[in-house]
């Protein structure tokens, strides 16, 4: 029973919140609102999935939100400048992935602790967004094909939801069903033992941080398409939310260990709460308070079984 | 048994509360950034005026983040509110969300945001007039010659217009030189941005400027404090800005402050006007044209300096 609660307690609590909102929050149960919640979850889930990859190898990535903002500004700036949107998307994805790769090289090659390295790249990415924009957003009425990346639907399902499911499922598949995932997990669990067993632990960390950057790029492109604009600090709010989603995820399914399924459910719980609080008529500050409570509670819950060095700083 | 009874009572109490509140008009308010005083003043005024009418109000804060703002508008649409007021929003960026509001048949009024075909109208002051008032006041105080520093903010349409009008005024009065300019870029940590940028400018141009133009009062407060730290006294430098509010009026009156004048924008009155208009259109069924025929409802902004600041402090 204790094991069951440890594994599924948070998910059950989330389910209870969901049921409570179904009963008491007006319109919460409507199809339009549930799709709305899923769409809003997509950005957070994708970013948090990337962060989970980094954390799996026991490295922190505190730059993912800033890399996403930089990728957004690159994508939006190129489109506003007349570049074909497909190329702009590739450039945005490329910039964020490159940022993740730089993080990986700093951590594995230069031996800078990931906490410091990614804080540094976050600051650089932040500075670059302001250098490119002067603080003014790129805004326009852009190609409908590009906007459809975030606003479109396929067979009645929002494209955002389809992309989120594809990213989360791919990430889950890689971590649970491939040798790469096994090696990344082993690197995070016991780096020395993994190294002795012949696993290229440095390469695993490099891949983890690069994938985190790549996920930031995907989220950035979707954000730009959703708002047909790109501004500095566009994804700034996702840093705390992303960390909260991953921490929340670490309290379920595989307690104390970052896992994709947990991250996804964590992101979903945060989005459902944000939406539910509005539908219940709660004031804005309650959302921030709830997020803080979630972070503290999830760390408290997982602290007893926390196996990762990253959060024990 | 006791627990079951308590739970049942709680559910009944909640259901009754919801049923009672469901009869009232529900207004959703989203401020783009509550840490900015002007956004908060509008949102708080809307909330107060709506509560006075007995309406239910939910006030949301977008923390200066575009996606959060979009999500909050979407959530309000889903919650089925009867009306929405957006403070300092961005009609182009949130075109899709405002369209959703319109499609849902929810009346939408924006404040200091710019016009949108999906909103009833935007409550504004004429920023071109505001810009010319503060620019001309500054140049008048300098006797139309000297050097100035400026602190700009290009991300907001109102402050951007004020800056452009200042440029026009300067182009016609070339004995006044802009010797240094800082442009505030960050919206989330703007205070730090202004402090760092203007501190550097003031140090670099020490003794070489007679006036400072700030695009809004929040910037002016920080600049005022920086000037005081440099040992300056009232009259050493002419500092002008725009927005108004109790802190601004206190500084204009204070013998220690460098702030000489502001153009006071009636943010509270704008919030109240939004609620009044919502009442007339959404509750009483009046046509939008009975309030304003165009995309804007303009309000008066007043220049406030030593000569009339007492009138505003009394208010």
């Amino acid at each position: 029973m204790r094991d069951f609660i440890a594994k599924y307690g948070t998910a059950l609590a989330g389910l209870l919140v969901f049921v409570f909102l179904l009963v008491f929050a007006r319109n919460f149960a409507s199809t339009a609102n549930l799709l709305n919640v899923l769409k809003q979850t997509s950005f957070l889930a994708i970013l948090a999935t990337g962060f989970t990859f980094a954390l799996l190898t026991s490295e922190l990535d505190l730059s993912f939100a800033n890399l996403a903002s930089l990728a957004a500004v690159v994508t939006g700036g190129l489109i506003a400048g007349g570049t074909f949107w497909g190329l702009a998307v590739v450039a945005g994805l490329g910039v964020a992935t490159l940022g993740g790769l730089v993080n990986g090289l700093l951590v594995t090659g230069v031996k800078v602790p990931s906490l410091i390295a990614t804080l540094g790249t976050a600051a650089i990415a932040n500075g670059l967004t302001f250098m490119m924009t002067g603080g003014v957003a790129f805004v326009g009425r852009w190609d409908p094909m590009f906007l459809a990346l975030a606003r479109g639907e396929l067979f009645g399902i929002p494209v955002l939801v389809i992309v989120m499911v594809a990213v989360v499922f791919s990430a889950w598949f890689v971590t649970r069903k491939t040798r790469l995932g096994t090696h990344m997990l082993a690197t995070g669990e016991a780096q020395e033992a993994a190294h002795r067993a012949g696993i290229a632990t440095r390469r695993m960390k490099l891949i983890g941080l690069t994938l985190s950057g790549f996920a930031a790029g995907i989220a950035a492109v979707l954000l730009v398409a959703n708002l047909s604009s790109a501004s500095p600090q566009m994804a700034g709010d996702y840093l705390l939310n992303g960390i909260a989603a991953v921490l929340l995820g670490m309290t379920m399914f595989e307690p104390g260990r970052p896992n994709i399924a947990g991250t996804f459910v964590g992101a979903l719980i945060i989005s459902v709460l944000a939406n539910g609080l509005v539908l219940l008529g709660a004031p804005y500050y309650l959302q921030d308070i709830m997020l803080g409570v979630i972070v503290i509670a999830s760390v408290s819950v997982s602290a007893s079984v926390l196996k990762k060095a990253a959060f024990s700083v | 048994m006791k627990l079951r009874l308590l739970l049942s009572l709680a559910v009944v109490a909640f259901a009754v509360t919801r049923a009672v509140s469901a009869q009232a008009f529900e207004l959703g308010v989203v401020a783009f950034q509550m840490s900015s005083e002007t956004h908060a003043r509008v949102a708080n005024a809307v909330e107060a005026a709506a509560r006075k009418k007995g309406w239910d109000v939910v006030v949301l804060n977008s923390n200066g983040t575009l996606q959060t703002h979009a999500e909050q508008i979407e959530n309000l649409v889903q919650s089925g509110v009867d009306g929405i007021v957006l403070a300092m929003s961005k009609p182009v960026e949130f075109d899709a969300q405002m369209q959703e509001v319109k499609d849902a048949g929810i009346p939408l009024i924006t404040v200091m945001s710019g016009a949108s075909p999906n909103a009833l109208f935007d409550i504004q002051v004429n920023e071109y007039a505001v810009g010319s008032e503060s620019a001309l006041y500054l140049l008048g105080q300098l006797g139309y010659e000297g050097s100035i520093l400026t602190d700009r903010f290009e991300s907001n349409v109102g402050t951007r217009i004020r800056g452009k009008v200042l440029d026009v005024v300067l182009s016609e009065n070339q004995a006044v030189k802009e010797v240094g300019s800082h442009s505030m870029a960050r919206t989330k940590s703007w205070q730090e941005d202004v402090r760092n940028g203007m501190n550097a400018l003031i140090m670099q141009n020490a003794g070489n400027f007679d006036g400072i133009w700030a695009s809004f009062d929040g910037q002016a407060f920080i600049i005022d404090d920086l000037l005081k730290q440099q040992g300056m006294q009232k009259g050493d430098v002419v500092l002008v800005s725009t927005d108004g509010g109790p802190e601004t009026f206190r500084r204009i009156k204070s013998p220690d402050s460098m702030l000489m004048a502001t153009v006071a924008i009636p943010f509270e009155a704008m919030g109240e006007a939004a609620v009044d208009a919502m009442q007339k259109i959404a509750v009483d069924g009046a046509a939008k044209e009975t309030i304003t025929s165009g995309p804007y409802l303009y309000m008066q902004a007043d220049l406030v300096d030593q000569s009339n600041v007492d009138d505003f402090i009394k208010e």
Side-chain angles (χ1 to χ4, degrees):
Chain A
M1 186 62 185
R2 201 174 160 180
D3 267 8
F4 182 84
I5 295 291
K7 275 187 174 180
Y8 303 108
T10 309
L12 281 174
L15 194 63
L16 279 177
V17 169
F18 187 80
V19 171
F20 175 84
L21 292 171
L22 278 178
V23 176
F24 293 111
R26 196 181 49 183
N27 295 340
F28 180 79
S30 70
T31 310
N33 186 57
L34 294 177
L35 280 175
N36 182 44
V37 171
L38 283 176
K39 280 196 286 182
Q40 292 176 359
T41 307
S42 60
F43 309 104
L44 178 59
I46 292 169
L47 283 165
T49 295
F51 183 61
T52 308
F53 269 119
L55 205 56
L56 264 176
T57 65
S58 204
E59 299 299 342
L60 279 175
D61 180 5
L62 298 183
S63 67
F64 67 85
N66 289 91
L67 285 180
S69 296
L70 177 62
V73 163
V74 167
T75 308
L78 287 172
I79 294 175
T83 304
F84 169 59
W85 65 264
L87 286 177
V89 167
V90 172
L93 289 173
V95 163
T97 310
L98 184 66
L101 182 65
V102 169
N103 280 335
L105 290 172
L106 286 170
V107 171
T108 59
V110 193
K111 307 281 185 202
V112 182
S114 57
L115 177 78
I116 308 297
T118 56
L119 268 180
T121 46
I124 293 168
N126 193 38
L128 288 173
T129 59
F130 285 109
M131 187 181 85
M132 293 169 66
T133 62
V136 182
F138 296 113
V139 184
R141 304 211 185 274
W142 295 337
D143 191 325
M145 287 282 283
F146 171 65
L147 301 183
L149 290 179
R151 299 184 194 174
E153 289 186 355
L154 269 178
F155 312 114
I157 302 169
V159 174
L160 273 178
V161 177
I162 294 170
V163 175
M164 172 181 70
V165 170
V167 169
V168 171
F169 179 76
S170 305
W172 175 85
F173 187 82
V174 167
T175 54
R176 299 305 299 262
K177 302 289 179 189
T178 67
R179 184 188 289 186
L180 174 66
T182 309
H183 286 190
M184 289 176 84
L185 203 57
T187 300
E189 291 285 303
Q191 187 179 336
E192 190 56 37
H195 182 65
R196 283 172 192 269
I199 294 173
T201 51
R202 289 206 306 188
R203 193 187 304 159
M204 292 305 115
K205 288 172 184 282
L206 187 71
I207 292 172
L209 286 161
T210 306
L211 284 175
S212 182
F214 179 63
I218 296 174
V221 167
L222 295 175
L223 277 169
V224 174
N226 192 42
L227 297 170
S228 66
S229 65
S231 70
Q233 298 183 319
M234 186 150 192
D237 259 14
Y238 286 107
L239 179 61
L240 185 58
N241 287 7
I243 292 173
V246 176
L247 288 177
L248 206 52
M250 286 170 66
T251 66
M252 61 186 117
F253 307 137
E254 298 172 57
R257 178 190 285 169
N259 66 92
I260 299 295
T263 296
F264 173 66
V265 175
L268 202 54
I269 288 174
I270 290 170
S271 295
V272 163
L273 267 176
N275 174 268
L277 287 171
V278 172
L279 266 54
L280 287 171
Y284 63 92
Y285 41 82
L286 204 57
Q287 293 190 17
D288 288 339
I289 293 170
M290 289 297 288
L291 186 63
V293 169
I294 285 172
V295 171
I296 293 167
S298 52
V299 172
S300 305
V301 169
S302 57
S304 57
V305 281
L306 205 60
K307 292 169 186 163
K308 296 286 152 284
F311 280 109
S312 60
V313 178
Chain B
M1 188 62 193
K2 242 181 182 177
L3 183 67
R4 267 179 73 181
L5 184 68
L6 276 174
L7 277 173
S8 308
L9 283 173
V11 169
V12 169
F14 190 84
V16 169
T17 312
R18 295 289 300 174
V20 170
S21 66
Q23 291 168 2
F25 188 88
E26 283 188 86
L27 184 67
V29 186
V30 190
F32 190 67
Q33 183 159 359
M34 286 293 265
S35 67
S36 173
E37 185 186 316
T38 53
H39 299 214
R41 283 171 61 191
V42 172
N44 292 340
V46 171
E47 183 180 17
R51 289 209 188 283
K52 215 170 172 182
K53 288 184 183 293
W55 294 358
D56 287 334
V57 193
V58 54
V59 179
L60 303 174
N61 173 21
S62 303
N63 283 322
T65 308
L66 293 177
Q67 182 57 28
T68 306
H69 196 64
E71 288 176 7
Q72 286 172 330
I73 298 171
E74 288 166 353
N75 288 343
L76 282 179
V77 171
Q78 294 304 326
S79 76
V81 290
D82 300 305
I84 296 178
V85 175
L86 301 179
M88 286 73 170
S89 189
K90 298 170 191 292
V92 179
E93 282 91 330
F94 304 113
D95 184 39
Q97 287 71 30
M98 290 190 187
Q99 179 74 52
E100 273 182 50
V101 176
K102 189 177 188 181
D103 292 346
I106 300 170
L108 169 67
I109 294 173
T110 58
V111 179
M112 295 288 279
S113 303
S116 163
N118 298 313
L120 290 168
F121 50 82
D122 183 48
I123 302 178
Q124 272 280 4
V125 291
N126 183 338
E127 289 288 2
Y128 299 90
V130 166
S132 66
E133 286 222 61
S134 66
L136 289 172
Y137 185 91
L138 174 61
L139 266 62
Q141 290 291 319
L142 299 180
Y144 288 85
E145 61 178 348
S147 301
I148 62 166
L149 301 177
T150 59
D151 197 1
R152 296 166 185 261
F153 179 36
E154 302 295 316
S155 281
N156 175 276
V157 61
T159 50
R160 190 166 61 242
I161 289 170
R162 294 169 205 165
K164 284 181 176 168
V165 172
L166 172 73
D167 291 336
V168 172
V169 171
L170 289 176
S171 72
E172 282 296 317
N173 298 279
Q174 296 190 4
V176 178
K177 300 284 181 211
E178 183 184 18
V179 292
S181 181
H182 168 255
S183 188
M184 185 185 114
R186 291 164 174 79
T187 50
K188 281 180 83 74
S189 54
W190 63 269
Q191 289 98 333
E192 194 188 332
D193 189 333
V194 171
R195 193 169 296 112
N196 292 340
M198 288 308 291
N199 195 31
L201 266 189
I202 290 167
M203 305 268 260
Q204 287 159 8
N205 294 282
N208 188 34
F209 62 94
D210 313 293
I212 300 183
W213 178 93
S215 68
F216 66 95
D217 284 352
Q219 292 178 330
F221 299 160
I222 295 167
I223 295 165
D224 190 27
D225 294 340
L226 289 172
L227 293 174
K228 276 189 270 187
Q229 284 164 22
Q230 298 288 318
M232 292 192 183
Q233 293 173 342
K234 202 167 194 98
D236 288 348
V237 167
V238 181
L239 174 60
V240 300
S241 185
T242 299
D243 273 348
E247 175 61 13
T248 313
F249 304 143
R250 185 193 69 76
R251 286 185 187 244
I252 288 173
K253 191 169 171 66
S254 165
D256 301 322
S257 170
M258 251 56 62
L259 190 57
M260 298 285 283
T262 191
V263 184
I265 295 174
F267 293 107
E268 284 77 12
M270 287 173 155
E272 287 158 15
V275 173
D276 283 345
M278 193 65 81
Q279 163 85 39
K280 284 177 185 150
I281 295 169
V283 180
D284 304 338
K288 172 242 171 193
E289 283 69 26
T290 59
I291 295 164
T292 177
S293 55
Y296 293 106
L297 175 64
Y298 281 117
M299 300 198 76
Q300 179 69 35
D302 298 306
L303 185 88
V304 180
D305 68 356
Q306 281 284 350
S307 66
N308 62 347
V309 70
D310 285 337
D311 299 340
F312 287 83
I313 288 174
K314 274 179 206 155
E315 285 175 6

